Amino acid sequence: MSVAMKVHVRLFFTFVCLIWLCHRVSTQNSIDSGKPPNIVFILTDDQDSMLGGVFATTPICCPSRGSILTGNYAHNTHIVNNSLSGNCSSKAWQSGPEKHSFATYLKEQGYKTFFAGKYLNQYGKSEAGGVEHVPPGWDEWHGLVGNSVYYNYVLSANGKKESHGDNYEKDYLTDVIHKKAVKYLREKVRPHGNPFFMMLSTPACHQPFTPAPQYAKNFSNLQAPRNGSFDKPGGKGKHWLLRQPPNPMDNTTLALIDDFFRNRWRTLLSVDDMVEDVINVLEKLALLENTYVFFTSDHGYHLGQFSLPFDKRQLYDFDIRVPMMVRGPGIKPASHSDELVLTIDLAPTFVDIAGGGAPSEMDGMSLTTLLVPSKKVTLPHWRGEFLVEYDGEYQTGPIPGCPQYIDGGVSHCKFECICNDAMNNTYSCARYKDMDHHLMYCLFHDSQNFVEVYDLAADPDQLNNIVATIDKKLLAMLNDRLIQLLICAGPSCKIVHPQYNHRMFNVQEAPGFSLGDHL
């Protein structure tokens, strides 16, 4: 680690985690030790990262969280967006996938389970069963009603309404999660009792980006990074949403982006405090040496990339790449992996660590073979491909303040009528990596069947769409892999269900497809 990084290590929460989770590690125990290990899972909200190769399989909250909980791609959870009608915490979710979350498997393995924070965006709404609904598998439950906020919210405290206002000492959500976690560890966890699983799901660093008051002036001289695709024009090679923002961005937009950037970092400092306290309590209780700690985010976020001011929902790395750090028994200090790791791998990993074996109905793969190389490898090799999928959200009728969209069809037009989503922002991507290629192939399910292809080895910032120049046999192979991934299930998603016919396209035979549309 450079001297500069040591000086600024607290400036970015992922660096803090990297120090703690990779260096404060015991190698005396392992996943195969006699006593089942404890697991702490810390999940932030909308935290992007260009560090490492860990990916969310969809760049939006509820579908991504459903995939994390079940270990399944969105086409198998059937959550398509953040609404009840899109299956977010719906009755269909509750009667199906929710009954097979990792929490239910951990309960079967004798684990005590604790949850605090954001669950799914529509959780706790009256149409979704209200605060009385406690998802199966959780012994102690403190679930946020609705989407991420920092003040003025309601929790379901084991099925009972717990209201919070705007008093920092009592109500700041990250700190409330922090206090509930520490209280649980001190009062209900015993070194020789049942193993426990703890999930701490913070609002940071989601909008409205409200920092704790003691951190309100931190990072005042910093600005959002101007590297990679920042303030680059989308160009004709991008789908139409990427071609709409003015370029270059004006000073007002840049100032807003910088303000958001600083406040996002500020909110993460409270998460930093929570992690430090949880680690210290685990150490004092003599539990740390037999506890795995996982840290990641549900998906990424963009601030100025391709001149889009702020949001998510796009197929590019800044919206799907997330940090992931792990510490625990048997993990070599400061080690890392370059394999394609997904957030859907967490659920089978947790169950595998608990001794249950990764469930065959999960699409993800247990990371234990990567975390502890001495553990017996159960698959011949790691994955070389994965799927990113997204269903565009849109409004019907006029968009207030944006007369150009009188017929609707778009949504999240937040700033100068730059829209972040649309009905035809529905896409599927196959990410493919082998000895010779590292490619991303994306098909938009619109009237054009618009295609974007990127050579990630030569163009990691995804600036240049190479669909017009890529070898046509390779293009056809990528299309075939995408079709297979869209109807896959099971570990590493190798099994294709013949009864599925979900978005099956052959891009070169699809009506309206023309390479001329992409030049």
Side-chain angles (χ1 to χ4, degrees), residues 1 44 128 153 201 232 434:
M1 182 180 292
T44 56
Y153 57 87
S201 184
K232 294 288 196 302
D434 63 13

Side-chain angles (χ1 to χ4, degrees), residues 3 268 277 435 441-442:
V3 173
L268 288 167
D277 211 3
M435 294 291 291
Y441 168 88
C442 297

Side-chain angles (χ1 to χ4, degrees), residues 133 192 292 365 384:
H133 173 70
H192 303 293
Y292 287 89
M365 301 166 64

